[in-house]
Amino acid sequence: MKTLTLLRHAKSGWDDPVERDFDRPLNAKGRRAAATVGRHMRSLDMHFDQVTASPAARVKETLESVETGYGAPLDPHFDRRIYLASAETLLDVIHDTPDNADTLLLVGHNPGLEELVLLLVPDREEDGERDKVEEKYPTASIAQITLDVPNWRAVQPGGGALSRFIRPRDLDPALGPEKNH
């Protein structure tokens, strides 16, 4: 049995005048959301044998804020393939995960993460969690998928079960979308 947790980077700052999208930092709300998600991960006693992440600035800053809330370093391995990757490329990254890791945290970007959940989790879930992912995979959200496989190379489309989908607004309504009046 393997457990895959997907974390989308937190809300980034579009107001920041960076030359490359790759260098775009988080905004204040994004840092708060990531720390909140980190605290929640700790409260659920989530742990990860391997953390693989995009090297983009907003992902690195997300991980720093998550670690603050989580209370421990996550020691990520940065893989450039994850930056703005498709679901298929993310599946390649998963297949390359060492077999001695039973729990993997993959940190990256949309739409790839949302597409990966929809690729791995069949559309027969009764609880509606997959529908929430399909509707929107907000920044700083985590999706946890259990996979009944002996190794990461055996992960195939349709082979997972979504065990949880947690959005920052589920933990603190102030971290939800801005309301237009």
Side-chain angles (χ1 to χ4, degrees):
M1 179 73 84
K2 301 291 185 187
T3 302
L4 172 65
T5 303
L6 305 174
L7 169 62
R8 183 177 175 198
H9 68 78
K11 192 151 193 65
S12 56
W14 286 94
D15 298 340
D16 209 297
V18 294
E19 288 186 30
R20 302 182 313 161
D21 173 74
F22 187 87
D23 299 323
R24 195 159 25 93
L26 296 186
N27 65 21
K29 185 175 180 180
R31 286 189 294 277
R32 281 194 316 274
T36 299
V37 167
R39 281 190 298 278
H40 190 66
M41 290 164 58
R42 182 182 65 220
S43 77
L44 295 172
D45 198 27
M46 295 174 76
H47 69 281
F48 309 101
D49 298 327
Q50 168 100 16
V51 178
T52 307
S54 162
R58 60 192 177 274
V59 172
K60 288 180 175 181
E61 290 184 23
T62 296
L63 283 165
E64 289 168 7
S65 293
V66 166
E67 286 175 339
T68 298
Y70 189 66
L74 293 171
D75 299 320
H77 163 73
F78 294 102
D79 188 328
R80 185 132 181 116
R81 293 178 295 171
I82 298 172
Y83 177 65
L84 303 181
S86 67
E88 291 76 17
T89 299
L90 293 172
L91 191 54
D92 289 341
V93 171
I94 292 165
H95 286 160
D96 291 343
T97 301
D99 290 339
N100 64 347
D102 288 327
T103 56
L104 169 64
L105 173 62
L106 188 67
V107 191
H109 311 266
N110 245 9
L113 290 179
E114 177 180 328
E115 292 168 357
L116 182 62
V117 173
L118 301 179
L119 177 71
L120 293 178
V121 178
D123 192 9
R124 61 175 182 264
E125 301 268 326
E126 304 299 320
D127 62 8
E129 291 299 293
R130 186 186 186 280
D131 293 340
K132 288 183 196 172
V133 172
E134 193 167 15
E135 180 184 314
K136 184 168 184 174
Y137 195 125
T139 53
S141 294
I142 55 175
Q144 191 170 57
I145 300 168
T146 54
L147 301 148
D148 191 8
V149 293
N151 56 58
W152 293 104
R153 179 123 329 263
V155 174
Q156 296 298 319
L162 187 63
S163 53
R164 59 174 56 114
F165 179 56
I166 302 163
R167 303 167 297 190
R169 71 174 170 224
D170 299 331
L171 307 173
D172 179 352
L175 296 172
E178 302 290 328
K179 303 279 191 251
N180 294 329
H181 298 294

